[in-house]
Amino acid sequence: MKQETKIIALVLGFLFVFLSGFGLGATKGITVNVNGGAAVQTGGEAAPATQPAAPATTQPAAPATTQPAAPADTTTPAAEATTPADNAGASAGAVPQTKAEIAAAYNKAINDAKHYTGKVTLKKHDIIDVQLKDLPAIAEKIITPVIANLTKTEPKEETFDGGKGTADTTRELKNWIIPGGGRDAALQEAGIASATATPNGDGGYTMVITLIAETSTFDGTSTTSEPTHHKSIMDPLELGSLDLGPITISNADLRYPGATMTATVDGQGRLVALKQQLPLEGTGTGKAGISITLNLGGSMDGTYELIYA
């Protein structure tokens, strides 16, 4: 996600330069949407189609089962139904239940994947969609194609062996899975607003974790207040560490309403899928010849898939 945060910062920098060139010092509303969940939404719409069919099948089956030997047939299915239930219960016993247990399980899944020494293929995709509002028509016409080019991203894929890329040996698995910079995940119970873990059919489970709301204040020289819990498992926007060239950001107040992480672990306890949804909004003042105030709102999303050899 480091590349994604840098792109957003560069977009903001580009806007400062462009608007100052047009002499536009008034406050302009800017909305930045980074959304990688389109495929998930499509899948969600397809699901209802399966639900109506279920009731139709259930109604005919009920009378047929009742008229034959109800007691004998009922006993047999009941025994069979009990067996899967017992298996599910045994599987569910390994599924974390409390916030503390889910935090520990999440950290272990992420960090085990980051330091995995076997062979694994990682596919990831960060999709950036920037929308600008309340800009003069001429500015919007010129900026739109430039922003589209700046924010264009492509899915990335690399096979790692021993933690190193096989196609590009400079790539390290620990840096390809968030949090970046080789940092390990260090989620704490105190940072969780809500968390659930649901058993999967393969003996694994899926964790959905939403963080508490946090803020980050940038004073123009360094990030004086960081979103501690967001930073513990992802890569929030850090303006103080980015090179914006001729752009000088005097101050910025960023708000994180609460990111959501969805992590799927297989029956062997290995991370196989990860999704990040990071809402972000805020205001900031920058200089590129003249002072300009911008309003920022949007999100930073990413998806990861791991396929083990």
Side-chain angles (χ1 to χ4, degrees), residues 19 24 28 134-141:
L19 295 178
L24 302 173
K28 301 295 176 182
D134 301 326
L135 292 175
I138 184 173
E140 184 173 357
K141 182 177 181 180

Side-chain angles (χ1 to χ4, degrees), residues 68-129:
D73 292 343
T74 302
T75 302
T76 303
E80 295 176 353
T82 302
T83 303
D86 290 342
N87 291 338
S91 179
V95 177
Q97 301 296 320
T98 67
K99 288 183 179 180
E101 291 173 347
I102 292 175
Y106 180 86
N107 290 335
K108 176 174 173 50
I110 296 297
N111 297 335
D112 284 353
K114 290 172 74 73
H115 298 286
Y116 185 69
T117 57
K119 192 172 184 180
V120 59
T121 297
L122 174 59
K123 299 179 181 180
K124 68 175 184 175
H125 195 189
D126 302 322
I127 301 176
I128 304 175
D129 175 27

Side-chain angles (χ1 to χ4, degrees), residues 211-236:
L211 302 183
I212 62 175
E214 294 186 289
T215 60
S216 174
T217 302
F218 179 67
D219 64 3
T221 59
S222 63
T223 303
T224 57
S225 175
E226 297 181 337
T228 305
H229 297 293
H230 282 74
K231 189 173 182 179
S232 71
I233 57 173
M234 55 187 62
D235 300 323

Side-chain angles (χ1 to χ4, degrees), residues 79-209:
E80 295 176 353
T82 302
T83 303
D86 290 342
N87 291 338
S91 179
V95 177
Q97 301 296 320
T98 67
K99 288 183 179 180
E101 291 173 347
I102 292 175
Y106 180 86
N107 290 335
K108 176 174 173 50
I110 296 297
N111 297 335
D112 284 353
K114 290 172 74 73
H115 298 286
Y116 185 69
T117 57
K119 192 172 184 180
V120 59
T121 297
L122 174 59
K123 299 179 181 180
K124 68 175 184 175
H125 195 189
D126 302 322
I127 301 176
I128 304 175
D129 175 27
V130 178
Q131 299 176 0
L132 308 179
K133 298 181 179 180
D134 301 326
L135 292 175
I138 184 173
E140 184 173 357
K141 182 177 181 180
I142 296 176
I143 290 179
T144 299
V146 177
I147 296 300
N149 184 60
L150 282 175
T151 59
K152 182 179 180 180
T153 60
E154 298 291 341
K156 294 182 179 180
E157 179 177 336
E158 176 66 278
T159 296
F160 296 88
D161 196 357
K164 300 290 185 180
T166 56
D168 184 345
T169 55
T170 64
R171 293 173 171 173
E172 296 184 79
L173 179 58
K174 64 180 181 180
N175 294 328
W176 266 46
I177 301 176
I178 54 175
R183 295 183 294 121
D184 281 353
L187 179 62
Q188 298 179 6
E189 179 183 2
I192 299 177
S194 65
T196 60
T198 306
N200 298 330
D202 63 353
Y205 52 88
T206 296
M207 296 174 281
V208 180
I209 302 169

Side-chain angles (χ1 to χ4, degrees), residues 209-286:
I209 302 169
T210 299
L211 302 183
I212 62 175
E214 294 186 289
T215 60
S216 174
T217 302
F218 179 67
D219 64 3
T221 59
S222 63
T223 303
T224 57
S225 175
E226 297 181 337
T228 305
H229 297 293
H230 282 74
K231 189 173 182 179
S232 71
I233 57 173
M234 55 187 62
D235 300 323
L237 186 62
E238 296 182 9
L239 295 175
S241 64
L242 298 173
D243 180 9
L244 300 180
I247 310 306
T248 299
I249 297 181
S250 305
N251 59 77
D253 293 312
L254 301 177
R255 296 179 294 278
Y256 297 85
T260 296
M261 303 295 288
T262 302
T264 299
V265 175
D266 67 11
Q268 299 182 50
R270 304 176 303 185
L271 179 72
V272 293
L274 177 65
K275 180 178 181 180
Q276 168 186 280
Q277 296 172 294
L278 175 58
L280 174 66
E281 57 186 25
T283 58
T285 301

